[in-house]
Amino acid sequence: VKIQNLENNKEAVVRINDRGPFVDERIVDVSEKTAELLDFKDKGVTKVGIRVLKKGEAVEDLDNDLDDAD
């Protein structure tokens, strides 16, 4: 899925690999690295948008997101 921080429009493509989150009113928990890329690690939580990607779409988007993170 592509996750977008709605407060700053930063995006990251991530793979969902577990059944969480286990906290009420959260739709997704992300890794520490993803929180850094989306610029909310110190804040802890943020409002996000989520878009399901088609197979093959994720690789191209991931490359673009990593270039933007430099």
Side-chain angles (χ1 to χ4, degrees):
V1 297
K2 181 181 279 190
I3 298 178
Q4 179 183 36
N5 181 337
L6 297 178
E7 294 181 0
N8 61 20
N9 295 322
K10 292 187 177 188
E11 299 176 332
V13 174
V14 300
R15 179 177 304 181
I16 297 174
N17 62 2
D18 66 23
R19 296 174 292 155
F22 297 104
V23 176
D24 290 339
E25 298 186 24
R26 287 192 189 169
I27 58 173
V28 65
D29 286 329
V30 299
S31 68
E32 186 175 347
K33 179 64 175 177
T34 300
E36 287 176 14
L37 289 172
L38 297 177
D39 201 23
F40 74 92
K41 179 182 169 193
D42 292 335
K43 185 177 176 185
V45 295
T46 193
K47 292 185 184 267
V48 298
I50 295 178
R51 183 168 72 100
V52 176
L53 302 174
K54 296 178 187 175
K55 187 173 182 171
E57 186 178 12
V59 174
E60 180 182 8
D61 288 345
L62 179 59
D63 289 341
N64 291 336
D65 289 338
L66 290 176
D67 290 341
D68 292 342
D70 292 339

